[in-house]
Every structure is written in structure tokens, then in C-alpha cells.
Amino acid sequence: MMTKTDALELLADKREASYALGMAGALIHWDAATTGVPEKSLKMRGAAAGWLGGEAFSRFVAPDTLSAIETLEGCLDELDEKEKAMVRELGLKYRKAHAVPPEEIKAFQALTAQAENVWEKAKGANDFSLIEPYYEKIFAFNRRLCDWYGYEDHPYDALLDDYEKGATVKMADVFFSLLREKITPLVKMINESGKKPRELSGEFPIEKQRELTRWLCDVTGYDVKRGKIGEVEHPFCTRVTRNDVRITTKYHEDNLLSSVYSVIHEAGHAIYEQNMAEELDEYGLGEAASMGMHESQSRLMENMIGRSRAFAEILLPELKNIFGGLKDWDNDMLYRAINIVRPSLIRIEADELTYCLHIIVRYELEKALINGEIKVKDLPGLWVEKYKELLGICPPDYAKGVLQDVHWSAGLVGYFPSYAIGNAYAAQYMAAMKKVVDVDAGLRAKDLSKATKWLGENVHRHGELYLPDELVRRATGEGFNPKYYVDYLQEKFMGLYS
């Protein structure tokens, strides 16, 4: 029988190897995404990244890992808080990894590798029939996955929990029903009002946008000395280590706000990573509590801070200084311009108010597919019906409708709700933070240090030490409460559109 000391030492060795392999993989990905590597190197790079990921996985799922976990589970009373959290997280991950038959995992990985390529062709050809048989197999696998993982009330609970620990259909139904009830009528009222704020348009030289990016990083609190800014086709944030967290953006000369808000969004992710307590690394807990928790920090920074009236007041002078012109713009005009409500067909282009309506469409379809209420062949028609109902618009084709997202072809079923839950977490955190921090005053002084300190102490530093619901309770005094998000949206957009 393994001793407690032996178990802790074994897991420490595995963690050290996992960090090293993860760092190597992150650097390969960053290099390929940002530096324009030789095309002929991509195959070998892909093989190397695959080997690194496979090696990390095989080390983790080895039998001695389970022996160490079970040894520590047998003496929880002798462990401190961080050790208990480590055992909890490792136990969850290990048992999920072993719940699925190895041959099924291998077949599914091969399936999704093919499906992503087919999805690209299907989207380009506007032909749903190309991807339909792959979706059939992917959703069939995910239905079996629910049984392998196990669930209490609804099979979809098992998939939600994969991305948002503790989330359930019961919780999500309440959340999305509230959004349907309160936000859909508001969107309709705004559409029917005919009010159209002036849009920020023109030519914005990329070199000057890079100058603005440096200013944005300084204002938000993203520490560029512990990171780096890259340029890519699809912006992302990646962590190499806690002291090397990198962000990216995409510049468009004719669309300044696109890069502005991708920078602020990714900075929110990066600040979360940079603020995690150093001592958590020793326990493997230096990761986000959940996907929704990570998204809460990017959305809080992007929307609740970056699209606030106070931010517009400091952004406008900077735009005038860097780009010149804009002489006839005032703070109120810019505030309205960065908060235009325009129901769109594409989720990633959605404005703040309508974004979660896009998520409701995907949530309801995923849940019905997993529960056997609908079939894959029904997706295109149901997609159109739901967009008409929720956003008042009709997708003209598959590419702008059911084929717009890569998630299903990648096998990521259950992922979408995390985006919406993250928005709700963000509003709840902002409401709690504003009780003790004057965020707008900090913004007007171009100093968000008090806000980021509050987030750091109450959210960031804890990593995976607590489960999401406990983390929210500790920071706000209550569990997940979507009412803060709905109230925030109603107050903001009813004010903007009178």
C-alpha cells in the first residue's frame, strides 16, 4: 500500500512532467499561430504537439496515479485545504478519463479530426448534407458519454459538468428562461424604435492601432512584462506559465472597434491567469475554476468595463490623440457607438445584449438532441425557427446559420452554455465589487488597480481551489444568481435607447 508521503511525491513528479509537456505544446501552438512558420513544417509540428499531449495523458492515466489518489482519499482528514482540492480535482479528471472505453476515445478523436475538415467544406459549399452523417455519429457518441459519466436527472447534465462543474439542466433552464422572458422583448422594442446610433467608421492605420493596443493593456492592467501581444486570424489567450501569459488580436483598417474589444477581452482572460496564487502551482490548482469562470473575467473586462460610459470618456481623447480627426464626436456619441444593438446572424459578431440569445439557440438544440427529442436532420429548420423567434431575423443559408460554429464538428457538445453562464458570473461579481470599489472613478483616473485587486483576491488567486458555486458564494455572499445579469442588461440598454 502506498503511503501518504509516497502518493504526494508521485503526484508532484507527474505534475512537473505535465507542466513541462504543456509548456512545450503551448509554445508550438503560439509559434505556429503568430509567426507564419514554414508551411512544410506544419505536419511535423502537428505530430510533435500530438505526441506531447498523448504523453501527458498517458502519464496521467497510468495505474499508479489512481493508487496515489485512492491513498490520499483514504486520509483526507490529514490533508490541508489545498491538498484536499488537489485530490478532488485529480479524482474527477482521472475517473472521467477512465470512464470511456479506450477504443471509443480513439475512434472519436479520428472522427472529429475528419469532421472539422468536412465542416469547413460544408460551410464553404453551403451544404449541410456533407456534415450531417458526422454530426449523427458525434451526437451519438455524446449520448453514450452521458451514460459513461453518469448523471442524476438529465443526460445533458453530464456534458454541462464537463465544462462548468456543478452546472445542471435545471439550473440552465431557469437562467435561459429568465433571459427569454426579459431580453427578447427588449431586443424587439429596440428594433422597433428605429433608433440608430452613429457608427465609428473610417480608415485606422494598423501601426496606430498597435499604439492603442499598448494603451489598452496599460489601462486594463494586463502586465506585458509577463506576457506578449501577437497578431492572428482568430484572437486567443494562451498561458505558457503563470508569468508568461500571451494575448493576440486581429487588426482591420476599416474596423477599429474589432481589435479594441478583442484586446480588452483577451486581457481579461490573461489578467485572471497572471493573478493566480503562485503557491497553487505546487498542487496543480493554478487553472480556472471552470470555462464559465474564465469567460466571466474576459466579459467583465470587455463589456462591463470596456463598454461603460466611464471607459468611453477616457477612450475618446485617446482616439483623437492617436488617430486625429473625430472632432465632432463627444463622449455620449462614442458610448452609444460601442453599445449598438444590432441583431446579427453570427454569434461571434453579436452585440452585448443579443449575445446570449445566440447561446439559447444552441443550448436548446443540444439538449433536445441529447435527450432524443429531435434528430440531426431537424437542425437546419429548427435553427431558422429559433432565430426568427429570438432575434427576429432569418438565416439566408447554412453558412450563416447552422454551420457557422466549429464546436460540434470538434465534438464540443455542452460547451456553449459556459459563454452565457460566464456573462452572468461577471454581472454578479461586478455588483459585489461595486459595493466596495468605485470602478468608474478608477477608470476615469485610468487606474483599475483597485478593481483588479478585488478580482484578484476574490476570484483569480483561488484558481481551482474551490468549485465554481463555492467561489461565487465566497466572493458575492450568494450562489449563482442570473438576476444580476438580467438587471444589468435591462438598466443599461433601456437607458441607452430610452
Side-chain angles (χ1 to χ4, degrees), residues 288-452:
S290 68
M291 295 301 300
M293 202 62 66
H294 225 315
E295 195 66 21
S296 77
Q297 299 311 291
S298 60
R299 291 291 178 173
L300 187 152
M301 190 62 72
E302 176 193 352
N303 292 326
M304 296 170 191
I305 289 178
R307 297 186 195 273
S308 66
R309 187 179 293 276
F311 186 77
E313 291 174 14
I314 64 169
L315 178 61
L316 183 59
E318 200 65 25
L319 296 182
K320 290 180 176 180
N321 177 53
I322 292 176
F323 298 101
L326 303 176
K327 293 181 179 179
D328 58 339
W329 280 76
D330 61 30
N331 294 333
D332 189 64
M333 290 168 63
L334 182 60
Y335 177 54
R336 294 177 183 279
I338 61 180
N339 287 291
I340 290 175
V341 174
R342 183 189 296 113
S344 66
L345 295 167
I346 309 300
R347 173 186 62 86
I348 60 174
E349 296 174 1
D351 58 76
E352 184 184 10
L353 180 62
T354 63
Y355 183 85
C356 279
L357 301 183
H358 292 260
I359 302 302
I360 291 177
V361 171
R362 290 149 177 83
Y363 166 73
E364 292 181 348
L365 292 175
E366 283 189 352
K367 184 176 68 167
L369 279 165
I370 294 300
N371 212 29
E373 297 171 14
I374 64 172
K375 298 184 181 300
V376 167
K377 67 179 182 180
D378 303 325
L379 283 174
L382 290 171
W383 189 282
V384 171
E385 289 178 17
K386 289 182 180 295
Y387 264 76
K388 284 182 179 178
E389 176 193 358
L390 291 169
L391 290 124
I393 53 180
C394 182
D397 53 38
Y398 296 134
K400 291 185 176 66
V402 70
L403 291 180
Q404 66 178 268
D405 295 305
V406 71
H407 296 60
W408 289 341
S409 62
L412 302 176
V413 180
Y415 189 115
F416 283 117
S418 291
Y419 292 124
I421 292 170
N423 281 327
Y425 283 150
Q428 192 167 342
Y429 284 139
M430 182 62 96
M433 179 166 61
K434 282 191 169 183
K435 293 177 182 178
V436 293
V437 176
D438 191 335
V439 180
D440 289 344
L443 262 176
R444 292 186 176 101
K446 302 177 187 177
D447 180 8
L448 280 175
S449 60
K450 290 183 180 179
T452 53

Side-chain angles (χ1 to χ4, degrees), residues 7 28 214 233 247 347 357 389 481:
I28 288 175
R214 292 189 287 272
E233 187 62 31
I247 67 170
R347 173 186 62 86
L357 301 183
E389 176 193 358
N481 186 348

Side-chain angles (χ1 to χ4, degrees), residues 67-212:
S67 296
I69 292 170
E70 290 180 336
T71 295
L72 296 174
E73 286 175 337
C75 58
L76 287 177
D77 291 343
E78 301 173 30
L79 305 181
D80 62 28
E81 182 183 41
K82 295 183 181 65
E83 289 170 336
K84 288 178 182 177
M86 175 188 71
V87 174
R88 180 196 71 219
E89 292 299 316
L90 288 176
L92 286 170
K93 292 170 185 174
Y94 187 93
R95 291 180 176 105
K96 279 194 172 185
H98 276 270
V100 187
E103 64 275 13
E104 289 270 8
I105 295 175
K106 187 175 181 179
F108 186 66
Q109 289 173 338
L111 172 65
T112 54
Q114 296 173 33
E116 288 194 58
N117 289 327
V118 175
W119 168 77
E120 288 185 11
K121 294 175 183 176
K123 185 177 180 182
N126 192 37
D127 186 351
F128 182 76
S129 68
L130 294 178
I131 194 67
E132 185 176 343
Y134 291 87
Y135 280 179
E136 290 278 9
K137 293 177 182 177
I138 286 169
F139 277 96
F141 172 85
N142 275 277
R143 282 191 286 272
R144 296 196 299 276
L145 189 63
C146 296
D147 292 329
W148 289 322
Y149 282 172
Y151 57 89
E152 290 187 10
D153 298 320
H154 195 290
Y156 192 56
D157 288 349
L159 302 180
L160 287 175
D161 185 76
D162 233 10
Y163 302 100
E164 195 60 35
K165 286 173 281 190
T168 63
V169 165
K170 183 177 180 181
M171 161 194 153
D173 280 350
V174 170
F175 175 31
F176 289 125
S177 294
L178 186 62
L179 284 174
R180 265 182 171 275
E181 177 190 349
K182 302 295 185 180
I183 304 307
T184 305
L186 180 55
V187 172
K188 184 178 180 182
M189 288 167 57
I190 289 173
N191 286 342
E192 293 175 349
S193 74
K195 294 183 178 181
K196 297 181 179 179
R198 181 179 177 182
E199 297 190 40
L200 186 65
S201 59
E203 293 296 319
F204 302 93
I206 289 177
E207 189 52 49
K208 290 185 177 293
Q209 290 193 51
R210 292 189 182 110
E211 182 181 344
L212 180 62

